[in-house]
Amino acid sequence: MRCPMGVQLVAWIGLVGCGGKAVDSASPSDDTIDLPTSTCGGTYDWLGRSEVGSIVAYEPLPDFSIDQAAVQGLMAVAGATDTSEARFGVQVGRVRYTTQDRGVLTEATALVAWPDTTGPVDSLLYLHPTTGLEDFCAPSGRDLIWAGVPIVLASMGYAVAAPDYLGQNGFGDEAAELHPYLTAEPTAVASLDALRALWALSPDDTSAGVTPGTRTLILGASQGGGAAFWAERYAQEYLPEANLIGTVSTVPLMDVYAWAVESAAALTVGSVGVPIMLETSAQWYGLDADISEVIPSSEVDRLYTAFETECPEAALPDDVTTLDDVYTTDWQTALAAGTAPEPWDCMLRENSPATAPVGRGAEVPAFVIIGGADDVALTSQSRATVDALCADGHPVVAVECNGLGHEDTVQATLDLTLDALRLFEVGEQPEGEVCGTIQTMDCG
């Protein structure tokens, strides 16, 4: 059984922005983090801000550090028709840094990239699509194609932090546990600490003397599109020094409850991802939960084989042809009634925007791009994410690409992405009604 995969990174993610007034977050008055913790497992306390985000190891990646012409060639391969936004050559490295996992100090890894220029530049937190659950699927430990997005963004003039996510260590000691797929708290926390690590780099590390600033954009697609909003929610309290100026998200996978309900009603590529989210989340929460309540017992071994050996693709396995191949009858019946059995219900609710313990934080404008025929994140799930964010008072403008699937939406909106990033940077926004009707358009 294989989980849904985001787009190949070189094909990239569409990112569009919705402007508005950027929030200048206040500096923390003390070291205490005042955030609710997860509610589905045991209790724990947050570590202080000063205990996380320090660099454990830094490695330059000279083979990934390329000049402006090479970046423009990479953009052309990815489908950009205008490569003029690539204004600089790029330096790339990777960092191992401290973060926290349920109140315990741990380590995570990330790619970092910056332009060949000097002086202060804005920062950008890039959150990648699904790549897998194990260390060998971490983008920072793979080849140049997996650094393609951070490279392009750095060439535009941003200092980029691109975390691998908790449980995916790209170098150094292996992670102790699997990546908790689509679980909000560990995703947000490790991502924000990657920004801390980026800001902790010295001028000697960045060679050209670039200084990453705290004025920050957050962007991502698919799994990363949901992760962008989770990072934004946690940032006001967890990383208050960040001055967030916009969040951009394409085909976001965030409302996992809506995703689970829809995936149990009709077989799609998304159907094979829900069990992976539930099993890895149960491990992270420390729950004694039996995944054979969700999937047929005959599929459990294959699930774990996939965890341990595969970096997945966005495709149904050839022998999965009906919902009965994916889910138990009891699970399908429960989800058809709209409520999952415990402890799965708690996990789905805690990691969906309308029912999460951490709500909207700062007034950060956002733009969401939805695929009108998305069978991975699911069009209905992305719409539900927008609805939930708007109901929480989040200033969102959304568009839907007519007839386009998951990867096609991502590829068709690359030029829009680059334009929108610049609009955010100067305090403007693409046209659209905030939390109005989702606009439909022909994206390509």
Side-chain angles (χ1 to χ4, degrees), residues 412-444:
T413 54
L414 177 55
D415 286 333
L416 288 175
T417 297
L418 304 186
D419 292 341
L421 289 175
R422 291 305 187 207
L423 289 171
F424 270 120
E425 193 174 6
V426 298
E428 299 179 8
Q429 65 185 66
E431 295 181 1
E433 183 182 358
V434 175
C435 287
T437 302
I438 296 175
Q439 306 168 71
T440 58
M441 59 186 296
D442 293 326
C443 299

Side-chain angles (χ1 to χ4, degrees), residues 96-415:
R96 192 175 176 98
Y97 60 94
T98 58
T99 186
Q100 58 181 301
D101 183 13
R102 293 174 58 83
V104 176
L105 194 67
T106 189
E107 296 177 6
T109 58
L111 282 165
V112 289
W114 54 91
D116 276 335
T117 186
T118 58
V121 296
D122 289 343
S123 294
L124 192 151
L125 178 62
Y126 168 68
L127 300 167
H128 65 73
T130 302
T131 65
L133 305 168
E134 275 277 12
D135 297 302
F136 57 82
C137 298
S140 75
R142 302 176 78 174
D143 58 25
L144 176 64
I145 193 172
W146 297 93
V149 177
I151 286 171
V152 169
L153 295 169
S155 184
M156 293 174 64
Y158 302 109
V160 181
D164 293 317
Y165 300 140
L166 193 70
Q168 290 184 306
N169 287 344
F171 71 110
D173 292 340
E174 294 184 352
E177 304 289 344
L178 291 172
H179 165 52
Y181 184 51
L182 301 176
T183 309
E185 182 185 304
T187 298
V189 166
S191 297
L192 293 170
D193 283 330
L195 272 175
R196 281 194 170 98
L198 175 71
W199 296 339
L201 287 170
S202 71
D204 289 341
D205 293 326
T206 57
S207 66
V210 165
T211 304
T214 57
R215 191 170 181 265
T216 304
L217 287 159
I218 305 178
L219 55 96
S222 191
Q223 177 185 359
F229 284 115
W230 292 124
E232 181 194 299
R233 284 190 174 208
Y234 279 75
Q236 188 174 36
E237 176 64 25
Y238 193 80
L239 189 65
E241 56 268 44
N243 175 12
L244 302 183
I245 61 174
T247 301
V248 291
S249 175
T250 302
V251 291
L253 185 42
M254 185 184 189
D255 196 322
V256 293
Y257 215 114
W259 191 50
V261 170
E262 294 296 327
S263 295
L267 182 65
T268 66
V269 177
S271 300
V272 297
V274 173
I276 294 171
M277 180 267 168
L278 292 173
E279 177 63 5
T280 58
S281 292
Q283 291 183 20
W284 182 78
Y285 284 112
L287 296 172
D288 184 16
D290 186 355
I291 194 62
S292 66
E293 296 173 359
V294 179
I295 65 175
S297 57
S298 60
E299 296 299 312
V300 174
D301 286 345
R302 180 157 71 157
L303 183 71
Y304 271 87
T305 298
F307 288 172
E308 295 165 2
T309 63
E310 296 182 19
C311 297
E313 299 174 356
L316 285 169
D318 292 340
D319 59 348
V320 172
T321 59
T322 71
L323 281 172
D324 291 337
D325 296 326
V326 181
Y327 296 125
T328 64
T329 300
D330 287 347
W331 180 261
Q332 293 176 62
T333 301
L335 271 291
T339 303
E342 293 293 358
W344 315 109
D345 187 81
C346 183
M347 286 182 275
L348 290 170
R349 292 191 183 281
E350 185 163 291
N351 296 291
S352 295
T355 47
V358 177
R360 177 176 56 92
E363 292 285 343
V364 182
F367 195 97
V368 177
I369 301 175
I370 297 170
D374 188 345
D375 68 346
V376 179
L378 303 185
T379 303
S380 56
Q381 179 281 141
S382 293
R383 291 172 182 162
T385 291
V386 171
D387 290 344
L389 292 169
C390 287
D392 198 25
H394 197 112
V396 178
V397 171
V399 299
E400 184 173 310
C401 294
N402 289 325
L404 292 188
H406 196 69
E407 296 185 14
D408 289 341
T409 300
V410 168
Q411 295 179 33
T413 54
L414 177 55
D415 286 333

